[in-house]
Amino acid sequence: MTGSVLDLIAFICFVVSWIGYTYFAKWKAKNTNCLARCLHQHRIHWMNELMRYEMRVGEAALMANIERNTTFFASTTMLILAGVLALFAHVERLESVIVSIPFTATPSYALIQIKLSLLTFIFVMAFFQFTWSMRQYGFVNVMVGATPLRGRETSDHMKNYATQMAVVQDQAAHSYNYGMRAYYFSMAVLSWFFHPLLFIASSLLVVYTLYAREFKSKAVVAITCGMIMLQKEERERKERESQPR
């Protein structure tokens, strides 16, 4: 099998792995406890609880901390993009470095440019995802500021408002997650500089890593148990409030 054909197969495997896992994760999250599903339930509970407090300094600090992480990755992505774009001026030097590494496939000038272009595209896409996540967290802050104070009892309108706040925050988290996935798959693209077979293996390894962390990790188990405890506590609270005094 010629190198060009193997490189094409490796690239197709990479694209199928990324897009396929994205759709698979969305489908499986609908009926399986995972990070996205359980954290969304936590966000709904959080948004309902913050309505009980007149001073929301703690919530503001938590939101600022979450948004700070997104800002860090957005700025870091710009630095990485600058580094990748700078490599376009040193393709020949990069080619000689790759040739000097044992067991690597023989590189070509055009193919190295294609690989650098793929990395550039990935980090541009990650930048858009992180910045959109930042904006959506800002939207949540506005909605939190507009939230009125309520007592123990609440209307259906306010419950729906809390749910909508959680939805916006959930969308911000999804954008952040897509940006992080771009970082993960960019690590697989780095292996393409050495050998297309390593690129295929790295793409599959990234998919396995993402699946294990989002669906099978200890953090998922703990967050799921926490969600169940919150739901039980909410049911018991409603039962206590419904009992005649």
Side-chain angles (χ1 to χ4, degrees), residues 174-189:
H174 279 308
S175 297
Y176 177 80
N177 193 27
Y178 293 150
M180 290 301 298
R181 283 181 190 170
Y183 268 69
Y184 275 78
F185 280 101
S186 68
M187 298 298 104
V189 176

Side-chain angles (χ1 to χ4, degrees), residues 11-64:
F11 175 73
I12 294 174
C13 178
F14 169 78
V15 173
V16 171
S17 298
W18 193 342
I19 297 177
Y21 178 76
T22 299
Y23 282 99
F24 168 80
K26 286 183 179 180
W27 169 78
K28 193 170 180 62
K30 294 179 180 179
N31 51 22
T32 305
N33 287 329
C34 61
L35 284 179
R37 180 186 178 92
C38 295
L39 284 176
H40 181 57
Q41 297 301 317
H42 279 271
R43 293 185 185 104
I44 294 176
H45 183 80
W46 181 15
M47 294 299 106
N48 275 288
E49 287 298 313
L50 70 84
M51 292 183 179
R52 306 181 191 276
Y53 310 115
E54 184 175 1
M55 300 298 295
R56 294 161 185 162
V57 179
E59 283 71 20
L62 289 172
M63 293 295 298

Side-chain angles (χ1 to χ4, degrees), residues 199-218:
F199 185 28
I200 295 174
S202 299
S203 300
L204 298 177
L205 179 61
V206 168
V207 171
Y208 171 77
T209 302
L210 290 172
Y211 175 78
R213 293 184 177 182
E214 294 183 14
F215 292 93
K216 298 295 183 180
S217 64
K218 293 181 179 180

Side-chain angles (χ1 to χ4, degrees), residues 94-223:
L94 181 59
E95 184 178 1
S96 63
V97 171
I98 295 173
V99 170
S100 64
I101 301 175
F103 307 110
T104 57
T106 303
S108 66
Y109 189 93
L111 189 57
I112 290 178
Q113 287 185 320
I114 292 174
K115 295 172 183 178
L116 291 175
S117 299
L118 179 59
L119 278 176
T120 302
F121 173 77
I122 289 174
F123 284 111
V124 166
M125 186 171 59
F127 175 76
F128 282 127
Q129 292 292 345
F130 286 131
T131 51
W132 179 230
S133 177
M134 290 168 52
R135 291 195 64 189
Q136 291 181 100
Y137 278 123
F139 302 156
V140 177
N141 287 329
V142 174
M143 296 180 75
V144 169
T147 305
L149 178 66
R150 67 173 174 83
R152 300 301 298 180
E153 298 295 333
T154 183
S155 64
D156 292 336
H157 296 295
M158 294 311 301
K159 290 180 180 178
N160 291 333
Y161 186 76
T163 301
Q164 294 307 312
M165 285 196 294
V167 168
V168 177
Q169 190 177 12
D170 188 61
Q171 291 302 308
H174 279 308
S175 297
Y176 177 80
N177 193 27
Y178 293 150
M180 290 301 298
R181 283 181 190 170
Y183 268 69
Y184 275 78
F185 280 101
S186 68
M187 298 298 104
V189 176
L190 288 179
S191 65
W192 194 13
F193 285 91
F194 303 105
H195 202 282
L197 291 178
L198 184 60
F199 185 28
I200 295 174
S202 299
S203 300
L204 298 177
L205 179 61
V206 168
V207 171
Y208 171 77
T209 302
L210 290 172
Y211 175 78
R213 293 184 177 182
E214 294 183 14
F215 292 93
K216 298 295 183 180
S217 64
K218 293 181 179 180
V220 173
V221 175
I223 294 172

